[in-house]
Amino acid sequence: MASSTLICDSEPWKELRVHVEDIKKTHLRDLMNDTSRCHSMMMEFDGILLDYSRQRATTGTLNKLFNLAEAARVKEKINRMFNGERINSTENRSVLHVALRAPGDAVINSDGKNVVPEVWQVLDKIRDFSERVRSGAWVGATGKALKDVVAIGIGGSFLGPLFVHTALQTEAEAIECARGRQLRFLANVDPIDVARNITGLNPETTLVVVVSKTFTTAETMLNARTLREWISSALGPQAVAKHMVAVSTNLKLVEQFGIDPNNAFAFWDWVGGRYSVCSAVGVLPLSLQYGFPIVEKFLKGASSVDQHFYSAPFEKNVPVLLGLLSVWNVSFLGYSARAILPYSQALEKFAPHIQQVSMESNGKGVSIDGVPLPYETGEIDFGEPGTNGQHSFYQLIHQGRVIPCDFIGVVKSQQPVYLKDEVVSNHDELMSNFFAQPDALAYGKTPEQLRKENVAEYLVSHKTFSGNRPSLSILLPSLNAYNIGQLLAIYEHRVAVQGFVWGINSFDQWGVELGKSLASQVRKQLHASRKKGESVEGFNFSTKTLITTYLEASADVPSDPSTLLPKI
């Protein structure tokens, strides 16, 4: 077990605490006038430009953060992750999502065994299966080609694949590869989500992918049984084997469910759910929609960043820099939230995915050794694509709470539009905001500037912008499968760096368990009340009242209902 000494007891942490007072005396207006500083805070990697000059930091701050990383043994922890050591100590697991996108000739060991050949066995199986479905060699029970896919999963089995799918939907090459096909994601156990996902679909042309490592996840399996009934009621029970496949490690339950175990695609316990989009969890449904060659480009983009993260010196390492700056903002400047603002509608599902990657990973209150932490960890992540967000929550960001912002821009639009006689193209209009907003946050607007503009005195305070609000900018060359993979890996590793510094386990998620266990008690009560008329017992007054009210108001629900599927 590692030492239980907390990072806040280290000299670099204490030095940064003192350094905060120096930073408080500065303003980004002044810091941005230092051209050499700004130059040192811009870097390029594999076509991506990172500009973090609008952070409330000096070159001295960065040096102190590098010292902090050394005290936290960040490089050692990165090496341990890539070497397959069981750094997820509370679950006694390796953390090897990097192996999911490693080249076939790479060597990444777990328990002394190279896992890359196993990864590629699954990838090759996905390549073969997806090509058979897409070519029409694999057909449904009535002989019709399977053109529509519904992927059932929740949390990490849903958010990551949905983000990538949404980003690819409007990319030119991906559009051609997906022509005539549909991919939908069923996550919520709410029957409305079921209704929305099967609306307009024909069971004869639909393939269902059930994603559950253990094949026991309550919401996922209820949704899976619902779609099994949808298929069986239309085509007969024997059709399930042709219309349902699984991503799971529990072949016994897969077979009991009615899915041929040969049509189950494996992943491993060293793949955390929120880090699983590069496993069969994401690769299978995305390959069915876009073809394996497109998805392979996505994997290569992620792998490029993996190698950069592993080998680049910290002062030129994109995920490390981003992770250290986040620690600076959270633990020293006291900013508890972060806005992720992609200036691309194709990235509309990126922030929801990173919410889980970040908040489920780093929302911890004890160290990896179980010691209560005297400092805050994690960030509240949220975001919307620009310019939509500008007309929503930017008011608070500009004149309310200070929230560090990640601005993500793309040089070449996936779908350029040009209108004759317009001042700029649609994409240039979008990017005008991308370039302007960080400066507006950094510089603000002073009362003196407003008075020079003859603004009425009673409005001066209302129109004053304090500025000094940190942000960083990431500029991608385009938004193809490769770039999407790059972006994903940058944020995954950024989160890991934060956790490595804070001394927490970023790869377990015990915080999601308690609510689920309490829900099982409620489930038993609802069953007993519906089927046997039993009164509500064993809950506090508030919960008992709520459940009783719910049961009384929904008394028309039959105690022994026949099957009813959505009517949309």
Side-chain angles (χ1 to χ4, degrees):
M1 182 176 286
S3 168
S4 59
T5 301
L6 299 178
I7 190 64
C8 62
D9 296 326
S10 69
E11 284 306 311
W13 184 284
K14 293 173 182 176
E15 289 177 14
L16 281 162
R17 278 307 221 190
V18 173
H19 179 62
V20 168
E21 297 307 311
D22 295 330
I23 292 298
K24 286 180 178 177
K25 299 170 186 174
T26 67
H27 194 288
L28 278 170
R29 293 185 199 114
D30 304 314
L31 294 176
M32 293 300 293
N33 286 334
D34 185 342
T35 303
S36 63
R37 170 193 168 276
C38 293
H39 183 266
S40 71
M41 292 184 174
M42 301 183 76
M43 64 160 293
E44 189 172 354
F45 165 71
D46 199 11
I48 297 174
L49 180 63
L50 168 65
D51 177 4
Y52 57 97
S53 61
R54 292 176 188 80
Q55 290 287 305
R56 292 189 64 190
T58 63
T59 53
T61 312
L62 268 295
N63 290 331
K64 293 179 189 301
L65 287 169
F66 294 140
N67 291 338
L68 182 68
E70 186 176 351
R73 307 193 314 279
V74 170
K75 180 57 180 171
E76 176 191 326
K77 292 172 182 177
I78 293 171
N79 290 343
R80 290 182 64 211
M81 182 174 85
F82 276 79
N83 291 338
E85 295 185 37
R86 299 189 178 197
I87 63 172
N88 179 357
S89 55
T90 61
E91 297 179 302
N92 195 28
R93 292 175 181 172
S94 302
V95 177
L96 281 178
H97 43 279
V98 295
L100 300 171
R101 54 254 190 157
D105 58 356
V107 177
I108 299 178
N109 290 315
S110 177
D111 296 329
K113 178 184 178 183
N114 183 12
V115 301
V116 175
E118 289 182 30
V119 169
W120 275 93
Q121 283 177 10
V122 175
L123 290 175
D124 288 338
K125 183 178 179 180
I126 292 173
R127 186 203 312 261
D128 175 66
F129 179 74
S130 61
E131 287 177 356
R132 282 191 290 147
V133 171
R134 288 169 57 82
S135 68
W138 175 294
V139 294
T142 61
K144 292 184 178 180
L146 301 176
K147 298 288 188 181
D148 308 310
V149 173
V150 178
I152 303 176
I154 198 165
S157 301
F158 153 67
L159 291 165
L162 177 63
F163 142 60
V164 178
H165 170 52
T166 306
L168 286 172
Q169 273 183 311
T170 41
E171 198 271 329
E173 184 183 12
I175 288 172
E176 284 303 311
C177 294
R179 200 167 293 283
R181 308 194 63 83
Q182 284 189 80
L183 173 59
R184 301 182 183 183
F185 292 92
L186 172 56
N188 200 328
V189 75
D190 187 336
I192 290 171
D193 204 17
V194 176
R196 287 177 173 176
N197 273 282
I198 63 175
T199 296
L201 295 187
N202 181 353
E204 291 183 280
T205 59
T206 301
L207 179 69
V208 176
V209 180
V210 183
V211 182
S212 176
K213 183 184 288 188
T214 61
F215 238 58
T216 58
T217 307
E219 302 98 326
T220 296
M221 295 317 300
L222 180 52
N223 278 336
R225 292 191 294 274
T226 303
L227 261 62
R228 180 179 64 184
E229 182 62 31
W230 178 67
I231 290 167
S232 298
S233 62
L235 307 176
Q238 76 287 346
V240 170
K242 278 287 188 180
H243 289 264
M244 298 188 82
V245 299
V247 177
S248 181
T249 56
N250 194 333
L251 296 183
K252 182 180 179 181
L253 289 185
V254 167
E255 187 171 19
Q256 289 178 5
F257 185 87
I259 294 174
D260 186 342
N262 293 319
N263 300 328
F265 298 82
F267 59 118
W268 303 269
D269 68 0
W270 42 257
V271 182
R274 56 195 174 277
Y275 298 97
S276 67
V277 63
C278 294
S279 73
V281 168
V283 172
L284 177 59
L286 292 167
S287 294
L288 287 164
Q289 178 69 5
Y290 298 106
F292 186 82
I294 292 280
V295 182
E296 191 170 17
K297 292 177 182 177
F298 162 71
L299 296 176
K300 286 180 177 178
S303 181
S304 166
V305 171
D306 293 342
Q307 295 310 307
H308 166 74
F309 176 55
Y310 181 67
S311 61
F314 282 3
E315 60 271 15
K316 292 292 183 183
N317 192 310
V318 174
V320 169
L321 287 166
L322 295 182
L324 292 177
L325 288 166
S326 285
V327 169
W328 169 243
N329 285 328
V330 172
S331 297
F332 298 96
L333 295 179
Y335 303 142
S336 59
R338 173 181 60 183
I340 299 171
L341 309 170
Y343 277 66
S344 170
Q345 193 64 29
L347 293 175
E348 65 177 310
K349 295 300 181 182
F350 183 60
H353 175 50
I354 299 306
Q355 276 181 340
Q356 188 199 18
V357 172
S358 172
M359 295 167 74
E360 192 168 82
S361 293
N362 289 342
K364 308 291 169 64
V366 298
S367 76
I368 198 165
D369 301 315
V371 179
L373 298 175
Y375 49 87
E376 299 288 344
T377 67
E379 291 158 305
I380 303 165
D381 283 287
F382 70 98
E384 279 288 327
T387 55
N388 293 1
Q390 292 175 199
H391 295 268
S392 174
F393 51 78
Y394 277 39
Q395 168 65 45
L396 183 145
I397 289 174
H398 279 289
Q399 290 186 309
R401 295 175 182 268
V402 177
I403 298 175
C405 298
D406 293 359
F407 290 93
I408 303 169
V410 181
V411 173
K412 294 184 178 179
S413 174
Q414 288 180 336
Q415 296 291 327
V417 171
Y418 304 99
L419 299 180
K420 187 179 180 182
D421 297 330
E422 289 288 343
V423 176
V424 292
S425 68
N426 294 44
H427 189 65
D428 279 354
E429 177 66 29
L430 174 73
M431 293 302 289
S432 296
N433 289 274
F434 169 82
F435 295 119
Q437 288 290 341
D439 277 343
L441 288 166
Y443 288 88
K445 198 161 190 177
T446 66
E448 292 72 27
Q449 289 173 309
L450 292 165
R451 291 185 181 104
K452 284 182 180 178
E453 295 174 2
N454 297 317
V455 171
E457 190 62 34
Y458 78 96
L459 286 176
V460 167
S461 61
H462 295 281
K463 292 193 171 187
T464 296
F465 291 74
S466 64
N468 211 26
R469 293 163 184 260
S471 69
L472 58 86
S473 299
I474 298 172
L475 189 60
L476 304 170
S478 59
L479 199 60
N480 55 30
Y482 185 86
N483 304 135
I484 295 164
Q486 288 178 304
L487 188 61
L488 172 76
I490 286 171
Y491 274 77
E492 286 180 342
H493 295 319
R494 173 192 195 162
V495 166
V497 169
Q498 292 172 255
F500 289 156
V501 173
W502 282 321
I504 60 178
N505 185 356
S506 298
F507 306 106
D508 63 9
Q509 56 284 327
W510 299 107
V512 306
E513 299 299 325
L514 179 57
K516 291 196 293 186
S517 66
L518 293 177
S520 68
Q521 298 175 29
V522 177
R523 186 185 304 119
K524 290 175 184 176
Q525 178 67 64
L526 292 177
H527 174 80
S529 297
R530 297 276 196 212
K531 302 286 187 182
K532 305 172 188 176
E534 293 183 9
S535 59
V536 179
E537 299 294 342
F539 299 91
N540 62 55
F541 176 80
S542 173
T543 303
K544 179 178 180 178
T545 302
L546 288 168
I547 294 174
T548 302
T549 302
Y550 170 70
L551 286 167
E552 290 174 352
S554 59
D556 56 336
V557 173
S559 60
D560 189 20
S562 55
T563 297
L564 175 67
L565 293 172
K567 296 178 180 178
I568 292 181

